[in-house]
Amino acid sequence: MKLSVLDQAPVTAGNQSAEAIIKAVELALLADELGYHRMWLAEHHNTTTFASSAPEIIIAYLSSLTKNLRLGTGGTMMMHYSPLKMAEVFKTLSALNPGKIDFGVGRAPGGDMKAIYALSEGARPELRYLYKKLETTLELIKDALPSDSLYQETIASPSQIVLPEAWLLGSSGDSAREAARMGVGYSFAQFFMGSLSKEILDLYKSRFQPSDFMEKPEINVAYLATVAESLEEAEYEAAPADIQRLMMAKGQKPVILTPEAAKSLPLTELDRMKIQENRRIHLVGTPAIVADKLLQEGNEYGFDEAMIVSITHSQEKRLNTYRLLAKEII
């Protein structure tokens, strides 16, 4: 199984968002050294919890520092951008780093309604034709004439670049079907919804149509994971992520606490039940336990790449999650 990284540049309690970007750089350097396959940066807006608001800029910087790691967005939130601009950005990235760039896109806003309207300068966002927007973007990237008349007299420069890999993020049969139709990779956000389905992945594989971007179906599945040498330590370090998810479910402002603060937080029995329920999207344990779970699900659901999200409070503990998994799987 290939291991990859999905980073949100988490801003932990007591730290500044600028530090989170530097920590993303540290993670990329380690992932490259350990043999991880790719690293994607997420896109989040109007939040103090995650600092990755412009992932395309971060990956441009990382590309100058890494050797073998593929770099991409997981994903570019395409409702906020025109097809022409997305094509120009990723063609430029690919021209500078041929064979190393991933164009990963999602339909989610990556933020609340205030962020959506701020990014669109107050205009009503168009949410109905996002798959069509992706089709137009892909046509522009590969120097084809888009079917959308608005873009038939424009070019996306630079031209004749090595095409980036194109990926659609999702967690439903609808996104799997569209990814297959367009011939792009499918990235399933297990850490977000926790509803991994063999039926959905099989639908994608069975309907996949080869394209200029991908010859055969490619799937990766993104997991939240906290890994430590002992189960006790893993549970301790996992508490901040558990509490953050709980706060989000309650509509509270999420904070990534220290493990000490998370452990001492008073919880109701319902809270504890909810945390245990969320463990289907948060893999916690020793390297052997978590690696076995990833390999088992890869065999059961039919995928061979896992993307790991880790948001422990300590950067060193976060990096150690990636080190320990690499020793088990890579």
Side-chain angles (χ1 to χ4, degrees):
M1 172 177 282
K2 290 179 287 190
L3 281 181
S4 295
V5 178
L6 174 61
D7 190 27
Q8 300 165 304
V11 183
T12 55
N15 293 294
Q16 301 298 315
S17 56
E19 294 176 75
I21 300 296
I22 300 304
K23 290 174 180 177
V25 175
E26 293 173 354
L27 176 54
L29 294 174
L30 178 66
D32 195 34
E33 177 187 327
L34 293 174
Y36 277 74
H37 183 57
R38 72 177 93 237
M39 179 173 175
W40 287 354
L41 273 296
E43 180 179 326
H44 291 279
H45 302 286
N46 199 26
T47 174
T48 57
T49 307
F50 301 116
S52 181
S53 60
E56 67 281 4
I57 294 177
I58 301 176
I59 66 171
Y61 180 75
L62 294 179
S63 68
S64 67
L65 303 176
T66 54
K67 295 180 180 179
N68 301 310
L69 195 65
R70 294 192 64 90
L71 295 161
T73 51
T76 294
M77 299 293 98
M78 58 181 168
M79 71 165 61
H80 305 306
Y81 313 106
S82 75
L84 180 59
K85 186 59 179 176
M86 287 189 285
E88 289 173 337
V89 166
F90 281 87
K91 292 178 83 169
T92 300
L93 286 169
S94 193
L96 291 168
N97 307 279
K100 195 178 176 182
I101 297 299
D102 297 336
F103 173 47
V105 300
R107 294 174 297 149
D112 59 13
M113 288 303 298
K114 292 178 181 178
I116 292 173
Y117 279 99
L119 286 163
S120 65
E121 298 183 275
R124 183 179 179 85
E126 179 56 76
L127 308 178
R128 293 174 297 169
Y129 304 112
L130 292 178
Y131 292 132
K132 180 60 179 174
K133 177 180 276 194
L134 177 55
E135 278 189 284
T136 300
T137 307
L138 295 176
E139 289 167 341
L140 288 167
I141 289 176
K142 67 180 184 179
D143 300 327
L145 183 67
S147 56
D148 188 329
S149 60
L150 180 63
Y151 299 94
Q152 287 183 354
E153 295 185 19
T154 61
I155 61 169
S157 185
S159 59
Q160 297 180 325
I161 48 92
V162 173
L163 294 179
E165 283 191 8
W167 290 76
L168 178 62
L169 283 62
S171 57
S172 69
D174 187 45
S175 55
R177 187 180 301 107
E178 290 297 323
R181 182 179 64 82
M182 287 185 265
V184 301
Y186 185 55
S187 181
F188 191 92
Q190 173 70 354
F191 77 101
F192 185 64
M193 297 296 292
S195 54
L196 185 58
S197 160
K198 189 173 188 303
E199 181 181 3
I200 289 176
L201 300 190
D202 285 348
L203 172 69
Y204 165 74
K205 286 185 282 189
S206 67
R207 297 199 179 186
F208 183 85
Q209 299 178 30
S211 73
D212 293 320
F213 295 91
M214 207 161 277
E215 294 180 357
K216 59 185 179 64
E218 297 284 350
I219 296 170
N220 66 47
V221 178
Y223 290 88
L224 176 64
T226 304
V227 182
E229 296 284 3
S230 70
L231 185 56
E232 182 181 24
E233 183 186 359
E235 288 286 348
Y236 180 70
E237 296 295 339
D242 289 336
I243 297 302
Q244 183 222 11
R245 176 73 65 165
L246 185 65
M247 295 169 77
M248 289 175 61
K250 291 182 173 183
Q252 300 171 352
K253 183 179 179 181
V255 179
I256 304 171
L257 301 170
T258 65
E260 296 83 357
K263 185 177 181 181
S264 63
L265 199 69
L267 298 174
T268 67
E269 187 60 32
L270 186 60
D271 289 337
R272 298 182 190 280
M273 290 173 61
K274 187 65 177 176
I275 287 172
Q276 285 306 308
E277 180 185 333
N278 283 338
R279 283 299 173 85
R280 63 197 170 97
I281 59 175
H282 187 185
L283 305 184
V284 178
T286 63
I289 289 173
V290 175
D292 285 348
K293 179 68 172 177
L294 292 173
L295 294 170
Q296 172 196 331
E297 294 210 346
N299 288 330
E300 179 180 351
Y301 293 101
F303 64 89
D304 63 1
E305 181 182 351
M307 300 197 84
I308 306 301
V309 186
S310 180
I311 56 173
T312 53
H313 183 273
S314 159
Q315 171 73 344
E316 183 54 33
K317 298 296 184 183
R318 187 165 82 116
L319 296 179
N320 209 37
T321 284
Y322 294 98
R323 290 192 192 101
L324 294 172
L325 281 179
K327 287 182 181 178
E328 289 289 322
I329 295 178
I330 296 178

